[in-house]
Amino acid sequence: MPKPTKGPRFGGSPAHERLILANLATALFENGRVRTTEAKAKRLRPLAEKLITKAKKGDIHNRRQVLTVVRDKGVLHHLFTEIAPTFAERPGGYTRITKLGPRKGDAAPMAIIELVTEQLNPVRTTRTAPAAQAAPAAAPVEADVEETPAAQDETAEAPEAAEQTAQGEKKDEA
Amino acid sequence: MAVPKRRMSRANTRARRSQWKAAAVALVSCPQCRSPKRPHVACPTCGTYNRRQVVEPSA
């Protein structure tokens, strides 16, 4: 049994839904960001990221497959030649959704979905903490005094690393 | 089709409607401009989310 699509359905028919999502994806690749409802942004993200993955492969077969969704050849060219190379190092998570709160008129929750343009800073896993703890335990008390500024430096660096990882996680969530 | 047999008393009607309550919106202070905003939503005052400018500030 096929697994149902995640998220709500749009439009009056499957063809209408495909058109809505295809138009949103085209607008996203054309402008870099789209302001839409949260539900549509959440449906658009997997589609757009799969298209970018195809664009990163970049051969003629993938180009024809993307062309079935993104009908505009100008936007297709922009996607393959300018957007895809910027994501060469990024292992997925090409888009970010930021919630904007309810819309005036019908109070629909709005969001902005945008292509991630920030430089990828890979998450550093530090194994230095056990070694730093073992060193003061073995060393005498005088050495421990010397160790404390270094430990403070590490703790000062640690929140930055934590923030970076947190931002990375937020990017994944958004 | 099932229909009510008796008129509902004012007291019963009002007792039922007394449970129609609006919940207060959860708010946090924006890390950028300190104005109240909804959590997990870009600040409507300064247009930032996680100190990143998302939209132009409205009004």
Side-chain angles (χ1 to χ4, degrees), chain B residues 4 11 13 37 58:
Chain B
T13 303
K37 75 173 191 71
S58 62

Side-chain angles (χ1 to χ4, degrees), chain A:
Chain A
M1 183 180 165
K3 192 175 187 180
T5 309
K6 202 172 182 179
R9 311 294 183 272
F10 304 122
S13 61
H16 190 188
E17 177 174 286
R18 278 198 300 274
L19 275 171
I20 289 172
L21 292 175
N23 288 340
L24 278 172
T26 308
L28 175 66
F29 296 138
E30 192 174 1
N31 303 305
R33 54 166 34 195
V34 176
R35 182 199 183 100
T36 179
T37 60
E38 260 181 52
K40 280 178 185 149
K42 283 181 180 174
R43 283 296 303 278
L44 174 60
R45 170 149 69 167
L47 174 69
E49 302 210 349
K50 278 166 192 161
L51 293 179
I52 292 172
T53 304
K54 284 192 168 64
K56 279 170 75 174
K57 289 173 185 162
D59 56 5
I60 190 69
H61 173 61
N62 284 301
R63 183 177 281 261
R64 283 173 181 156
Q65 283 194 320
V66 174
L67 189 62
T68 60
V69 177
V70 180
R71 291 285 178 177
D72 190 327
K73 286 196 176 165
V75 176
L76 186 82
H77 183 74
H78 180 69
L79 170 64
F80 272 70
T81 56
E82 288 169 49
I83 295 174
T86 62
F87 291 134
E89 298 296 315
R90 189 174 288 274
Y94 311 119
T95 59
R96 176 194 297 132
I97 297 174
T98 311
K99 293 171 186 168
L100 296 180
R103 169 166 66 187
K104 193 176 176 68
D106 63 352
M110 299 299 284
I112 276 191
I113 179 167
E114 58 191 338
L115 300 173
V116 176
T117 53
E118 281 83 357
Q119 199 66 33
L120 179 72
N121 39 5
V123 178
R124 286 182 301 133
T125 54
T126 51
R127 284 301 193 98
T128 56
Q133 285 175 358
V141 182
E142 292 177 359
D144 199 3
V145 178
E146 292 177 359
E147 286 289 326
T148 42
Q152 284 174 356
D153 288 348
E154 285 179 358
T155 50
E157 288 173 5
E160 292 178 2
E163 279 180 6
Q164 287 176 354
T165 54
Q167 285 175 357
E169 287 171 4
K170 291 280 169 58
K171 283 172 192 167
D172 292 341
E173 290 169 10

